[in-house]
Amino acid sequence: MQISQNWIDIAYLVASVLFVLGIKGLTKPKTAVRGNLLAATGMGIAAVITLLHHSIVSYEVIIAGLLIGGAIGAVLAIKVQMTSMPQLIALLNGFGGGASVALAAAEYFQGASGTIALSATGLAVLIGTVTLTGSLVAFGKLQELLDGGSIGFPGMKFVNFLLFVGSLAAIVYMVINPGNDMVFWGLVIAAALLGLLLVLPIGGADMPVVIALLNSYSGIAASAAGFVMGNSALIITGSLVGASGLILTQIMCKAMNRSLTNVLFGVMAEGGETIDADEIYQGKVKSSSPDEVAMILETAQRVVIVPGFGLAMAQAQHAVRDLADTIEARGAEVEYAIHPVAGRMPGHMNVLLAEAEVSYDKLKDMDTINPTFEQTDVVIVIGANDVTNPMAREDKGSPIYGMPILNVDKARTVVVVKRSLSPGFAGLPNPLFAKDNTLMLFGDGKQAILDITTALKEG
């Protein structure tokens, strides 16, 4: 079935408008579901029109791909827990980059010609392959298949520079002398190595920034593939993803006090001197019990809850909401302090709390909540570590120095719910645990919160 070019252009225009409206809707929780549906509808229109217009690949192959890919996607949607969502996002970014490389390679080996087409092919291959291998490394670190710390070797930055320059030279050669398959595969290999070496030295604490950046890369690769194929929908979609991903990366950099330039070139926070946890904790950590915490909450007028990755691991979001409801029923005010990079990806805590039907009005960002901690009676920290670590303010030798944090230590009482004194993803001890106004409640996050709620109701 063939469709006239005018109808194709109109359909792609409608799809593009739906993409923009979808992204607009995602900026607010109340309109997020509608925004997601609008964007999905736009993608559906673009996909259907493209399939009806192009018949190079048999529909049997397309249907087989849809069935296999749909089955894999359905299994992932059902099986993957929210705690594993960051590494799934990293994988999906990589798959997006890989798909762009496949499209560009298909067009190249079918005889793509012209300066613009060949330049776009080279860029799609370079950026898409970097996205693919870099995302695999990010997945490996988040899944703890690889060491979460910095992995590298002397002269790594120089090697990266050579690989980058070599990749650009290969693209120029492809444009000037098209048809050389060895140059094409050389570009693929160089880009694959570059993706690996750019992400390997980045520590686990900086993975939220890396995920946002790789998301941007996948969009740019898709846009370049769109130029190769002459597909306006792919160009627009990729541009939107690339631009929004870059904006998100900049927001994450600000939240973590990182330089966007350093992120782009794989230069992130480097570890300083090894810090002795025993020196910080020994004789200073005060353990508490659910009954003692409940007694403190009985007289509290203002309580702030700080969720972290530990909350996600314990699946404690519903228990936390029940505790907040119990505290509010006694006349106290409860709010939630959300750090931009709490968890392992942007918005991780917002999604978890929304799942527990916590009112979005109670979720306060870092800049809004920080000035109020001095007037807060009790802060309950559940599994958050690095985003509450005072080293970021006080220790110039710390790898996280300068990173904006939630100033929970300024509250009258801080209750930290945690399994142990183990460090966060940055691998650093947290002096907050040893402060005079801090009580540690050791145990499973969900059970500890349930016990506090029970004790508060019985009291």
Side-chain angles (χ1 to χ4, degrees), residues 99-109 112 120-122 124-125 184 224-225 228-229:
S100 298
V101 174
L103 286 173
E107 291 293 320
Y108 178 78
F109 289 116
T121 298
V125 171
F184 178 88
V228 177
M229 301 180 65

Side-chain angles (χ1 to χ4, degrees), residues 272-356:
E273 296 180 3
T274 302
I275 301 170
D276 187 357
D278 290 338
E279 184 179 336
I280 292 176
Y281 297 144
Q282 195 167 26
K284 301 175 185 177
V285 175
K286 299 181 290 295
S287 182
S288 185
S289 67
D291 289 335
E292 183 180 357
V293 174
M295 289 177 60
I296 296 172
L297 289 173
E298 285 178 356
T299 58
Q301 294 300 307
R302 173 176 167 77
V303 178
V304 174
I305 297 173
V306 180
F309 187 67
L311 177 143
M313 288 292 291
Q315 291 291 291
Q317 60 268 35
H318 294 281
V320 166
R321 186 207 59 200
D322 291 341
L323 174 60
D325 291 344
T326 303
I327 295 172
E328 288 177 328
R330 303 179 68 89
E333 175 190 11
V334 179
E335 290 183 332
Y336 298 79
I338 309 297
H339 193 281
V341 293
R344 291 187 179 177
M345 71 176 184
H348 201 171
M349 296 301 104
N350 302 67
V351 173
L352 281 175
L353 294 173
E355 181 184 319

Side-chain angles (χ1 to χ4, degrees), residues 127-195:
I127 300 172
T129 307
V130 166
T131 304
L132 174 61
T133 56
S135 296
L136 291 176
V137 173
F139 168 80
K141 290 201 172 194
L142 290 171
Q143 193 67 22
E144 298 181 358
L145 300 175
L146 297 174
D147 185 358
S150 177
I151 302 173
F153 54 84
M156 189 181 230
K157 295 176 186 176
F158 182 68
V159 172
N160 288 345
F161 174 76
L162 290 180
L163 289 171
F164 181 65
V165 172
S167 298
L168 293 180
I171 294 173
V172 172
Y173 188 89
M174 284 169 52
V175 173
I176 297 174
N177 299 291
N180 192 320
D181 293 353
M182 288 190 63
V183 174
F184 178 88
W185 291 116
L187 172 61
V188 171
I189 293 171
L193 290 173
L194 183 61

Side-chain angles (χ1 to χ4, degrees), residues 220-236:
I220 296 171
S223 184
F227 275 103
V228 177
M229 301 180 65
N231 187 298
S232 56
L234 195 55
I235 294 171
I236 294 170

Side-chain angles (χ1 to χ4, degrees), residues 222-259:
S223 184
F227 275 103
V228 177
M229 301 180 65
N231 187 298
S232 56
L234 195 55
I235 294 171
I236 294 170
T237 307
S239 299
L240 287 172
V241 173
S244 58
L246 198 59
I247 292 171
L248 181 59
T249 302
Q250 181 60 54
I251 293 172
M252 293 299 102
C253 286
K254 182 179 179 181
M256 300 183 71
N257 193 38
R258 303 299 189 225
S259 163

